[in-house]
Amino acid sequence: MGMKGFLVGFILINLSILGSCGAPRKAVDVPFWNNYEPSWSSHHIKYLNGDTTAELLLDKSSGAGFQSKKSYLFGHFSMKMKLVGGDSAGVVSAFYLSSNNAEHDEIDFEFLGNRTGEPYILQTNVFTGGKGDREQRIYLWFDPTNDFHSYSVLWNTFQIVIFVDDVPIRVFKNSKDIGVEFPFNQPMKIYSSLWNADDWATRGGLEKTDWTKAPFTASYTSFHIDGCEAVTPQEVQVCNTNGMKWWDQKAFQELDGPQYTKLQWVRQKFTIYNYCTDRKRYPTLPPECTRDRDL
């Protein structure tokens, strides 16, 4: 190969290693039934392409939803979605993780529809111990109705990172040492749903759903789950063991430099609401906002 070829190969290999630092493992595309099952209105779900794609339908009678078959404590969870096109005012598509109790933990993607020509709003939220009120809203840098895009969550004992494609749009770090609860002992299932929320979703409920455009359709594919299965206290204990899974390794304990640069790009160019900067609502800055460097 020669010394020149060797050096080029060496540099490329090392650049690939540097470029992958902190990036989750590549999602694995699997059929719907491998990981999920309908949770409500199964008659409003269609399966296409050998069950590798699911379409959720919303009309005046009902929306629809599905959930993971198992519960998980930490891991990497992703879904590729193509949102309702055209006039989607009042319509909400969701992809989220949630535990099932009163003081629940939850990690949310909520896509808020809009009138034709107006951009979708992506709202994220993090609940810990039943407390939410941590909304952030962004516009996306692409039209999410034209094609599938990946939406994913990386969750470990150190942080929660929410990604759109490979871009981190939000980080919520473990700040228990400064009095902020963090989801570390309640297994969660993964959910997706499509429903009518025209009492609040579009311009605070001023824009209502136009049912003459129904049925509304949101499409889902790439039903990737790579998590630590947990139901029993013994399984929770196993999942809480640091360093045993790839997502617990040092590379995933915080954002790397390129990821932080991407997060800042989203904050500067596309963020339209961040509870961390809402001084009217929070005269005293919530402590996790400084820790997360998410202003």
Side-chain angles (χ1 to χ4, degrees), residues 203-267:
R203 294 185 59 211
L206 295 178
E207 301 282 358
K208 300 300 183 182
T209 303
D210 182 356
W211 293 110
T212 66
K213 304 294 194 299
F216 302 99
T217 302
S219 301
Y220 299 76
T221 189
S222 185
F223 302 100
H224 169 83
I225 292 177
D226 186 2
C228 188
E229 295 178 20
V231 176
T232 67
Q234 292 79 13
E235 289 172 329
V236 168
Q237 183 66 32
V238 169
C239 292
N240 257 316
T241 303
N242 292 341
M244 300 297 291
K245 301 291 186 178
W246 67 263
W247 55 78
D248 277 330
Q249 304 305 308
K250 186 175 179 57
F252 305 99
Q253 295 179 17
E254 60 183 350
L255 298 185
D256 62 22
Q259 287 176 328
Y260 184 64
T261 298
K262 289 177 180 179
L263 176 64
Q264 289 298 92
W265 175 70
V266 172
R267 284 286 162 265

Side-chain angles (χ1 to χ4, degrees), residues 108-125:
D108 290 339
F109 282 96
E110 290 182 310
F111 300 88
L112 314 183
N114 223 322
R115 289 293 177 216
T116 303
E118 296 296 320
Y120 259 86
I121 291 173
L122 169 54
Q123 175 172 287
T124 62
N125 204 349

Side-chain angles (χ1 to χ4, degrees), residues 82-127:
K82 183 164 66 172
L83 304 183
V84 174
D87 188 340
S88 57
V91 175
V92 173
S93 310
F95 165 47
Y96 61 102
L97 286 69
S98 182
S99 60
N100 292 310
N101 49 24
E103 294 187 355
H104 74 292
D105 298 330
E106 186 170 311
I107 306 165
D108 290 339
F109 282 96
E110 290 182 310
F111 300 88
L112 314 183
N114 223 322
R115 289 293 177 216
T116 303
E118 296 296 320
Y120 259 86
I121 291 173
L122 169 54
Q123 175 172 287
T124 62
N125 204 349
V126 177
F127 287 74

Side-chain angles (χ1 to χ4, degrees), residues 27-164:
V28 178
D29 296 343
V30 297
F32 175 88
W33 296 100
N34 281 33
N35 291 324
Y36 287 94
E37 61 190 2
S39 56
W40 58 286
S41 292
S42 59
H43 59 290
H44 273 57
I45 305 177
K46 292 183 178 179
Y47 306 99
L48 308 171
N49 305 319
D51 296 339
T52 60
T53 301
E55 289 185 347
L56 271 58
L57 307 179
L58 168 67
D59 57 27
K60 209 163 187 178
S61 67
S62 181
F66 59 88
Q67 66 183 37
S68 61
K69 295 178 179 179
K70 298 176 181 178
S71 298
Y72 303 88
L73 189 67
F74 310 125
H76 179 229
F77 313 92
S78 73
M79 193 86 68
K80 289 181 181 176
M81 300 172 59
K82 183 164 66 172
L83 304 183
V84 174
D87 188 340
S88 57
V91 175
V92 173
S93 310
F95 165 47
Y96 61 102
L97 286 69
S98 182
S99 60
N100 292 310
N101 49 24
E103 294 187 355
H104 74 292
D105 298 330
E106 186 170 311
I107 306 165
D108 290 339
F109 282 96
E110 290 182 310
F111 300 88
L112 314 183
N114 223 322
R115 289 293 177 216
T116 303
E118 296 296 320
Y120 259 86
I121 291 173
L122 169 54
Q123 175 172 287
T124 62
N125 204 349
V126 177
F127 287 74
T128 59
K131 178 190 179 302
D133 298 327
R134 298 187 177 101
E135 298 92 347
Q136 294 182 359
R137 289 185 172 190
I138 68 169
Y139 290 134
L140 296 164
W141 48 95
F142 52 83
D143 184 346
T145 71
N146 279 345
D147 204 351
F148 287 95
H149 288 267
S150 176
Y151 306 93
S152 61
V153 173
L154 176 69
W155 169 35
N156 58 32
T157 56
F158 305 98
Q159 64 178 353
I160 295 164
V161 186
I162 299 176
F163 293 89
V164 174

